[in-house]
Amino acid sequence: RSGGGGAPAPRYVCVMETHLLAVGKLRPCYREACDEYLRRLTRYGPVEEREIREAGRAATPELRRREESARITARLPGRATVIVLDGTGSAWSSVELARRLEGWRLSAGPVALVIGGAFGLERALVDDAAQRWSLGPLTLPHELARVIVLEQWYRAWSILRGEPYHK
């Protein structure tokens, strides 16, 4: 409407797709925790988890990384901003992650969070990623890392929305 009164102007919201690509299947206790955060995240936009089969028969850790990274690359969504979990990455606070999330959301493309298997990711995949995110200097089982990534992704969204979860 014109002329001052009436309904407020429409608010345009950029919906961002989130894709989590992670090597291996989760044991039930981790599966339950991940499913809870995946369910919560759906209120912020589409979220898809893609489990990548482990390369258990590969003869060496290097071959395992190569095979698993090739499987990940084949399943990455087009145009995605790729963020790999890697010990050489930057450790972000929850508030810093929220700030970065806002930038990725405004870019209007999908985001792919990538978690490697027990031996990590091939260096080429890490080097080609838009961002490298480290969960800190601790060595974590990749199953637990998946839970932490989803929890932090949910926390970042709640910070952006001013919701009380993050406090």
Side-chain angles (χ1 to χ4, degrees):
R1 290 192 218 187
S2 61
R11 185 171 172 210
Y12 296 97
V13 178
C14 297
V15 175
M16 183 181 82
E17 292 177 20
T18 300
H19 300 267
L20 174 67
L21 291 85
V23 174
K25 290 203 173 285
L26 295 174
R27 287 178 281 174
C29 62
Y30 295 110
R31 176 78 271 148
E32 186 177 332
C34 282
D35 287 346
E36 175 63 20
Y37 287 111
L38 288 166
R39 183 190 60 74
R40 291 180 186 193
L41 282 163
T42 59
R43 78 173 128 188
Y44 304 120
V47 181
E48 180 182 343
E49 179 185 36
R50 299 175 183 182
E51 288 189 335
I52 307 300
R53 188 169 48 88
E54 291 179 282
R57 293 192 174 151
T60 66
E62 180 184 335
L63 290 173
R64 202 164 166 177
R65 280 191 297 272
R66 184 178 303 150
E67 191 174 323
E68 291 169 352
S69 293
R71 290 175 184 167
I72 289 168
T73 301
R75 307 248 341 250
L76 285 170
R79 307 175 3 310
T81 299
V82 177
I83 303 156
V84 297
L85 274 289
D86 188 76
T88 67
S90 300
W92 303 321
S93 69
S94 298
V95 172
E96 173 65 11
L97 177 59
R99 188 186 68 70
R100 290 173 182 272
L101 175 59
E102 179 68 357
W104 297 321
R105 186 185 71 80
L106 292 174
S107 73
V111 169
L113 303 167
V114 176
I115 302 173
F119 294 100
L121 297 164
E122 188 175 36
R123 197 82 244 146
L125 177 57
V126 173
D127 291 343
D128 288 346
Q131 296 282 316
R132 287 183 252 169
W133 177 15
S134 171
L135 297 179
L138 297 172
T139 301
L140 299 172
H142 58 278
E143 291 176 298
L144 182 56
R146 194 181 324 182
V147 174
I148 292 169
V149 165
L150 287 170
E151 189 280 334
Q152 285 297 301
W153 202 249
Y154 176 73
R155 184 178 297 274
W157 273 110
S158 73
I159 291 168
L160 286 179
R161 296 288 180 101
E163 296 170 355
Y165 175 79
H166 75 281
K167 294 180 180 174

